[in-house]
Amino acid sequence: MLKEIESREDIGDFLNLNSHLIFHTFEYKKFIEESFGCKYQLLTAIEGDEVKTILPVVEVRNKLLGDKVISSAYLEYGGFAGDALGVGEILDFLSGEFKETHGYLEIRGGMEGFDSTLSSKLIKKNLYQRFVLNLGEGEELVWGRIQKSKRKAVKKALKNLEVKEVPVSELKDFYKLYCKNMKQFGSPPYSLKYFESFYRNIIFNGLGKIFGSYYRGKLISALVGFCYQDRVHILIAVSDSKFSEFRPNDAMHWSFIKWACSNGFKWFDFGRVREGSGQFEYKRKWGSVLIELPSYFLLWKAKKIPIVDPGKHILLVKIWKKMPLFVTKLIGPWLRKGLGI
């Protein structure tokens, strides 16, 4: 039997007994629904009265970009939790619901133990990788594995900067910095509502943090991450380029890592990355290990897997960088919602 989770009570026992990530939780469901005005479905395969398998999905609709179903939209990770025997039932349900109207199903990687099942039923593509830092050996050994030049930069940064959690009272300052940085990256920003919901559903429930670097009381960089079970998972890093000489990104990354070590976390996940990018080198220097992050596709109306053309991507980035800030803030959240990113 298939059922959609509607309350925290429906999923509580399952989460206590099964390996899962934050996007399988009811708090995360509320966070995404409030941020994007969408329906975040926690589809479950039921045996008797017991939840056996869960897949979170979002129906991403856009007249210009096409309709699709993604697990998990608005995050680089997705996938099943629980018993792999329920995978087929949930996939059959999704095809019955969306095959005639939507382009494809995408299941983003992140959960271990389902690769063989998904590879036998869907098309696997290794589009991204991720860097993960093992914190289990303690702060001293973690510090020692960091590249020497990076350790030197951290020490220099902490002589000039204060690193602390960014309170909700400074949300507007953070969002202003974030939007300017996203324009410099050539990437559409999330809405202010996204971060309001992050505080309300994630931070206030002890499931995430925003660390910031401050120079003479001014917020000059910020690092956003989930903190759930044994894992810190970084989402967003932004900084004011005018203060780059103080190395604020290094200061806040180390402070977040140090906090994670002190609070019993075992993994510090830097998030997905493409080899050859500037972020690839930055994340590698922290002593982290590179792991594959595959995606799985089931094509319905679409005739091919929707992979971004690097040439077109570079052109779009250049165009975005030239747009006025108010325009990027206006249309950026719409693009994010329509792309499912």
Side-chain angles (χ1 to χ4, degrees):
M1 182 177 72
L2 202 73
K3 179 182 177 182
E4 182 186 346
I5 293 293
E6 296 290 351
S7 70
R8 185 180 290 101
E9 290 72 24
D10 290 339
I11 201 174
D13 290 341
F14 174 87
L15 297 182
N16 289 333
L17 295 171
N18 291 274
S19 176
H20 65 282
L21 295 176
I22 193 168
F23 54 81
H24 295 107
T25 67
F26 190 77
E27 288 80 5
Y28 187 84
K29 168 183 166 70
K30 287 186 65 181
F31 162 54
I32 293 299
E33 288 182 337
E34 289 181 9
S35 299
F36 296 96
C38 64
K39 186 175 183 180
Y40 190 91
Q41 298 183 73
L42 292 169
L43 298 178
T44 63
I46 308 288
E47 186 177 296
D49 293 327
E50 185 180 357
V51 176
K52 304 296 289 185
T53 312
I54 285 182
L55 179 69
V57 295
V58 175
E59 180 186 2
V60 178
R61 309 200 65 174
N62 187 285
K63 292 182 179 179
L64 295 177
L65 304 172
D67 300 340
K68 55 262 188 184
V69 177
I70 302 176
S71 175
S72 294
Y74 316 116
L75 186 67
E76 64 253 40
Y77 291 171
F80 291 88
D83 192 332
L85 294 176
V87 169
E89 182 181 357
I90 293 176
L91 291 178
D92 288 344
F93 169 80
L94 289 170
S95 289
E97 287 288 307
F98 300 112
K99 184 176 182 179
E100 301 300 324
T101 56
H102 290 59
Y104 60 90
L105 166 69
E106 177 185 357
I107 298 178
R108 295 167 180 168
M111 282 300 297
E112 298 176 355
F114 289 89
D115 181 72
S116 59
T117 302
L118 293 176
S119 296
S120 68
K121 298 177 180 295
L122 290 81
I123 304 168
K124 179 181 178 180
K125 289 291 181 181
N126 291 314
L127 302 178
Y128 296 96
Q129 296 168 299
R130 57 175 169 146
F131 276 110
V132 180
L133 179 62
N134 185 347
L135 307 179
E137 295 176 331
E139 180 184 323
E140 186 176 344
L141 289 176
V142 170
W143 175 256
R145 287 199 300 268
I146 298 171
Q147 192 177 85
K148 186 176 179 180
S149 62
K150 184 64 64 183
R151 296 200 304 267
K152 184 178 179 180
V154 169
K155 290 177 181 178
K156 177 184 176 181
L158 291 176
K159 288 179 181 179
N160 297 289
L161 305 174
E162 179 188 11
V163 180
K164 60 182 181 179
E165 293 181 44
V166 180
V168 68
S169 60
E170 295 181 13
L171 177 55
K172 289 186 178 179
D173 292 333
F174 162 79
Y175 191 66
K176 183 178 179 181
L177 172 64
Y178 165 76
C179 287
K180 286 183 177 179
N181 220 194
M182 293 300 284
K183 182 179 182 298
Q184 292 169 355
F185 291 155
S187 182
Y190 289 118
S191 65
L192 178 61
K193 185 186 295 186
Y194 174 92
F195 295 103
E196 291 172 340
S197 183
F198 187 85
Y199 272 96
R200 185 164 49 250
N201 294 295
I202 304 300
I203 292 180
F204 293 165
N205 282 308
L207 303 177
K209 299 277 185 186
I210 300 179
F211 274 84
S213 294
Y214 292 79
Y215 179 70
R216 296 180 179 176
K218 176 183 174 64
L219 179 66
I220 62 171
S221 72
L223 188 60
V224 182
F226 295 120
C227 309
Y228 183 66
Q229 293 188 330
D230 62 355
R231 177 186 302 265
V232 170
H233 172 200
I234 295 305
L235 296 172
I236 296 164
V238 293
S239 63
D240 189 332
S241 59
K242 292 186 293 186
F243 296 91
S244 58
E245 64 180 293
F246 296 117
R247 307 298 289 264
N249 282 329
D250 295 330
M252 67 183 182
H253 272 86
W254 171 246
S255 296
F256 210 152
I257 291 169
K258 186 176 180 179
W259 174 88
C261 289
S262 299
N263 285 273
F265 290 88
K266 296 180 180 179
W267 307 101
F268 193 90
D269 190 332
F270 286 87
R272 76 179 184 184
V273 67
R274 285 187 185 274
E275 193 165 357
S277 67
Q279 289 211 350
F280 187 94
E281 282 303 307
Y282 183 84
K283 295 174 180 181
R284 181 181 62 82
K285 292 178 180 179
W286 290 95
S288 50
V289 176
L290 187 63
I291 303 173
E292 293 296 332
L293 184 59
S295 291
Y296 305 87
F297 293 88
L298 180 59
L299 300 182
W300 294 323
K301 292 180 67 178
K303 299 187 183 300
K304 60 181 181 179
I305 293 172
I307 299 175
V308 175
D309 183 304
K312 291 181 180 179
H313 180 70
I314 292 172
L315 177 60
L316 290 172
V317 167
K318 289 181 178 179
I319 293 172
W320 193 264
K321 288 181 177 181
K322 292 182 180 297
M323 288 184 178
L325 182 61
F326 80 91
V327 175
T328 64
K329 290 172 68 175
L330 181 66
I331 67 175
W334 174 82
L335 281 172
R336 284 270 179 186
K337 182 176 181 178
L339 290 169
I341 60 173

